[in-house]
Amino acid sequence: QFCCIASPMSLSTSAKQDRCHRDATKSETPNEGAGSVDTDDKYQNQHWINYVRSVHSYREEKLRSSPGYFSIPAEERHHEQCQIHPFPPLRHTPVIVLPLRINLIRNDFIGCSESLNIDSVRDIVRQMNTYWEQAGIIWNLTETAELSFDDMNFPVARQEEVRHFIHSLKRGPDGKMRNKKRRKGVFLDTILSQFQYRERGDEGYGVYFLDITGHESQGCCISREHHCVIMGERSNKGYERLTKRPFECLAKTMAHELGHALGLGHPRGLTFRDGRKHCMTRGRRNLMEGGVDL
């Protein structure tokens, strides 16, 4: 089976920095009413505070000396910043906890099976967190919901049409999925709109499990704007035929697609302006490079 472990720094540095820098000033002053604090905690807290202050000063100076600084792509700004102020070891950084809701779509035509349930979802999320913990990020499972369609709003005949369309989705010679625009419209406007995915997206990140998401497809971040990921319980990517994927493989795909929901892309082959690679894995596989189960 495919095993993908990302290096801590290469997995989510820019995503983590953006979130941490916004929140860091809130925690710069220890809570005086919180009682005594362990010496190691004080040291770690101060280490992070010093780093945040240095970065704030660096950014302010860059903006004063170069007004067009923030027109530079974010990844380039973070890369340049890290050359001067390296990101601290994870033991010195706050842990980011992100809300996650898993939605199990139950339907005879396009839904997932009973193999996916509260217990198995809990196990999948636990395994998925082993990837993100390397970046100081933990996904907190807030709810596992079972969703079904209202046949009045989504007639059975239409459900059959949607099933046929999903099974017709294939990749082109370049390896990219065809009919992306229509695929997005069907999954969002026809399927997930039945479950108010936009409103749910405002409350956190959502993963929706279906039977499949297309041929040679395991999942997709179908809407970054609404923090929405679709996942196929079965896939023929890496298999001779449509096959129920092991939970550890579902966990890996979920971790990858949630990376897209956080704004991360595929780093393979990408370089910064100074020629350095986007992803310094030091010989290890990066989560966002993708892959197959077998």
Side-chain angles (χ1 to χ4, degrees):
Q1 290 175 344
F2 178 90
C3 181
C4 171
I5 300 177
S7 73
M9 287 305 299
S10 64
L11 178 66
S12 184
T13 299
S14 62
K16 178 166 182 165
Q17 282 180 326
D18 275 337
R19 175 68 180 272
C20 288
H21 291 316
R22 288 198 300 270
D23 296 343
T25 53
K26 300 176 183 178
S27 60
E28 285 195 6
T29 304
N31 185 352
E32 296 179 358
S36 62
V37 180
D38 185 85
T39 302
D40 289 341
D41 291 338
K42 286 182 178 179
Y43 169 73
Q44 292 172 7
N45 189 45
Q46 191 59 49
H47 191 108
W48 175 251
I49 290 172
N50 291 341
Y51 167 75
V52 171
R53 287 174 175 168
S54 297
V55 168
H56 283 172
S57 298
Y58 167 80
R59 290 183 172 183
E60 289 173 0
E61 176 58 31
K62 289 293 292 186
L63 191 57
R64 281 195 296 268
S65 61
S66 178
Y69 173 64
F70 283 98
S71 65
I72 299 173
E75 63 271 16
E76 290 287 348
R77 298 201 308 268
H78 283 297
H79 176 61
E80 180 181 331
Q81 175 183 295
C82 286
Q83 307 311 303
I84 300 171
H85 299 286
F87 200 68
L90 289 179
R91 66 180 181 275
H92 297 315
T93 67
V95 173
I96 296 176
V97 180
L98 299 175
L100 177 66
R101 176 189 174 108
I102 304 296
N103 304 279
L104 307 175
I105 296 180
R106 304 299 194 194
N107 180 263
D108 292 338
F109 298 103
I110 61 174
C112 61
S113 76
E114 298 290 337
S115 297
L116 291 173
N117 50 53
I118 292 177
D119 292 332
S120 58
V121 163
R122 188 182 299 114
D123 185 48
I124 291 169
V125 172
R126 178 189 60 77
Q127 294 183 60
M128 186 264 291
N129 269 323
T130 63
Y131 296 102
W132 283 100
E133 286 168 356
Q134 299 175 73
I137 294 174
I138 294 177
W139 295 91
N140 177 39
L141 181 60
T142 60
E143 183 181 5
T144 299
E146 294 191 341
L147 307 177
S148 57
F149 298 112
D150 181 346
D151 289 344
M152 292 293 292
N153 295 326
F154 192 29
V156 171
R158 180 61 175 144
Q159 295 174 31
E160 290 185 282
E161 290 177 9
V162 168
R163 178 185 182 277
H164 177 76
F165 172 74
I166 294 174
H167 280 258
S168 73
L169 289 171
K170 289 183 170 65
R171 296 183 183 274
D174 59 358
K176 296 181 179 180
M177 190 64 74
R178 295 171 172 171
N179 298 324
K180 280 189 174 182
K181 185 175 181 180
R182 188 182 173 197
R183 177 184 67 164
K184 185 173 184 177
V186 169
F187 278 113
L188 290 181
D189 300 335
T190 302
I191 300 175
L192 299 190
S193 63
Q194 307 286 327
F195 310 118
Q196 294 78 48
Y197 75 91
R198 293 183 178 86
E199 293 78 2
R200 294 175 189 269
D202 293 337
E203 301 170 359
Y205 295 80
V207 175
Y208 293 80
F209 273 98
L210 301 106
D211 176 28
I212 70 170
T213 56
H215 282 279
E216 296 186 5
S217 172
Q218 299 171 336
C220 172
C221 177
I222 199 69
S223 174
R224 293 190 182 190
E225 179 184 1
H226 299 291
H227 312 135
C228 185
V229 168
I230 56 173
M231 291 273 297
E233 181 183 13
R234 297 191 301 158
S235 176
N236 63 347
K237 185 177 181 180
Y239 303 93
E240 292 183 0
R241 60 184 63 85
L242 284 173
T243 303
K244 273 191 180 181
R245 304 176 62 213
F247 291 157
E248 59 266 29
C249 297
L250 292 176
K252 183 265 296 182
T253 298
M254 187 190 300
H256 176 95
E257 298 303 336
L258 285 171
H260 289 314
L262 287 174
L264 299 179
H266 296 139
R268 183 179 296 172
L270 299 180
T271 58
F272 295 107
R273 290 184 296 185
D274 62 8
R276 297 192 188 189
K277 294 182 179 180
H278 271 203
C279 186
M280 295 177 284
T281 57
R282 300 176 181 87
R284 303 165 73 190
R285 290 298 302 273
N286 181 271
L287 175 67
M288 299 311 296
E289 288 181 319
V292 296
D293 292 350
L294 303 177

